[in-house]
Amino acid sequence: MELKKTLTLAGSDSSGGAGIQADLKTFQEHGVYGMTALTSIVTMDPDHNWNHEVFPIDVNIVEKQLNTILSIGVDAMKTGMLGSVEIIELGAKKIDEHKLEYIVIDPVMVCKGEDEVLQPENTEAMRELLVPRATIVTPNLFEAWQLAKTGPIKTVDDIKEAAAKIHDLGAKNVVIKGGIGIEHDKAVDLFYDGKDFTLFKLDKLETTYNHGAGCTFAAAITANLAKGRSVKDSVEAAKQFVTAAIEHGWKMNQYVGPVMHGAYSEFIGSVKN
Ligand code: PXL
């Protein structure tokens, strides 16, 4: 099969578990060629409780990166942490100019362990400019609540309502990562394509070492879309991939434990084809 090319427009997680690092590792595992347009650099302070700081990249530099990558060609792209409103506007412009087909929007608003929204003004811009262009949006419960402007999402009915509202914003598909946050005896994620709600139910995992799970999930969807799989198949396969990665998450230090991006290939089987 011809080599497929993917782009991530996202931030750098210096600790390597999330952000573009997670995306590139996941693309590699899937046998697609990954390219990166860096939007921001995130550092964690070892002397202050691993406190995150976000340093946005100048929008002109982001544009130059995108020009490089888009001249090569892209089969599917994803967005992660977007450092500023200007970068979000730029992303939307480039999607339109290049008529990009498969767009995965992971509406990153907070990093795990941090409870305040990093850049609230970005949420509104993502809602207006990126969600309507999305093949699929992949919020966690908090991000879904912010995008749908509902309230805290606790039940299966709440999560369905939020998915429908995000679909109404113009996203073709929505997958909400409910995980253990939904009142249910299983961990539940919800997929909505505008017609049917599909609940993915998995046993609740014990691990707390799941840093980077969201980025890894969205990157796996992106790789699968690039390879021509349907949206629903891409989500299902990505779910298996990230579940293995979480099951093999590891303790990095007292603050964080990243997922193991290569776990599926190592312990279950190749996802290269
Ligand atoms: O997991 C969210 C996330 C996304 N992108 C970058 C991050 C983080 C959390 O640390 O650093 C760059």
Side-chain angles (χ1 to χ4, degrees):
M1 193 170 64
E2 179 207 347
L3 184 62
K4 299 296 182 184
K5 301 187 278 304
T6 51
L7 154 65
T8 173
L9 175 64
S12 163
D13 167 9
S14 313
S15 75
I20 54 160
Q21 288 81 359
D23 296 342
L24 277 183
K25 291 171 194 181
T26 302
F27 292 158
Q28 187 77 12
E29 291 294 326
H30 284 79
V32 300
Y33 183 78
M35 295 179 276
T36 60
L38 191 62
T39 61
S40 47
I41 297 175
V42 181
T43 58
M44 297 84 187
D45 188 343
D47 300 321
H48 295 95
N49 286 321
W50 213 240
N51 182 41
H52 290 47
E53 270 187 282
V54 179
F55 302 94
I57 305 281
D58 184 291
V59 68
N60 296 311
I61 304 177
V62 181
E63 179 155 25
K64 284 177 190 268
Q65 297 175 76
L66 286 173
N67 290 345
T68 309
I69 295 159
L70 293 167
S71 79
I72 297 162
V74 162
D75 295 297
M77 75 172 276
K78 81 173 273 283
T79 66
M81 177 181 288
L82 299 163
S84 66
V85 171
E86 291 71 30
I87 295 174
I88 294 171
E89 289 168 351
L90 173 70
K93 187 179 93 174
K94 293 293 181 186
I95 289 169
D96 291 352
E97 272 177 18
H98 291 266
K99 301 189 173 59
L100 297 177
E101 196 180 347
Y102 294 118
I103 319 284
V104 178
I105 304 292
D106 183 19
V108 174
M109 293 176 198
V110 281
C111 293
K112 279 207 181 69
E114 306 279 296
D115 47 14
E116 73 199 87
V117 177
L118 288 169
Q119 294 147 314
E121 66 282 8
N122 287 0
T123 301
E124 209 42 47
M126 278 194 285
R127 230 176 149 257
E128 283 172 19
L129 296 173
L130 292 181
V131 172
R133 290 173 168 81
T135 306
I136 183 161
V137 191
T138 66
N140 60 27
L141 286 181
F142 177 78
E143 292 156 354
W145 160 23
Q146 300 299 311
L147 291 176
K149 299 197 175 172
T150 49
I153 298 166
K154 297 205 174 99
T155 65
V156 171
D157 282 345
D158 294 346
I159 200 173
K160 286 184 178 169
E161 183 195 343
K165 289 204 162 137
I166 296 168
H167 184 266
D168 285 347
L169 295 172
K172 293 191 189 73
N173 301 272
V174 185
V175 60
I176 303 183
K177 300 167 284 190
I180 56 171
I182 293 290
E183 291 164 7
H184 202 284
D185 54 358
K186 298 272 181 183
V188 284
D189 292 349
L190 176 75
F191 175 71
Y192 182 55
D193 60 5
K195 289 203 297 282
D196 300 312
F197 293 104
T198 308
L199 275 187
F200 294 112
K201 296 182 202 147
L202 284 171
D203 288 338
K204 293 185 175 178
L205 296 178
E206 289 297 320
T207 181
T208 46
Y209 305 135
N210 58 4
H211 173 67
C215 304
T216 301
F217 178 57
I221 296 174
T222 309
N224 288 321
L225 288 173
K227 292 199 273 190
R229 300 181 77 159
S230 74
V231 180
K232 194 169 175 191
D233 278 1
S234 296
V235 170
E236 281 175 358
K239 182 87 196 134
Q240 305 292 325
F241 184 84
V242 76
T243 299
I246 296 169
E247 276 169 350
H248 294 272
W250 57 283
K251 182 173 179 174
M252 177 181 278
N253 59 22
Q254 69 184 110
Y255 305 109
V256 69
V259 299
M260 186 175 165
H261 308 87
Y264 194 96
S265 319
E266 189 165 344
F267 301 111
I268 300 174
S270 174
V271 287
K272 285 216 188 310
N273 294 311

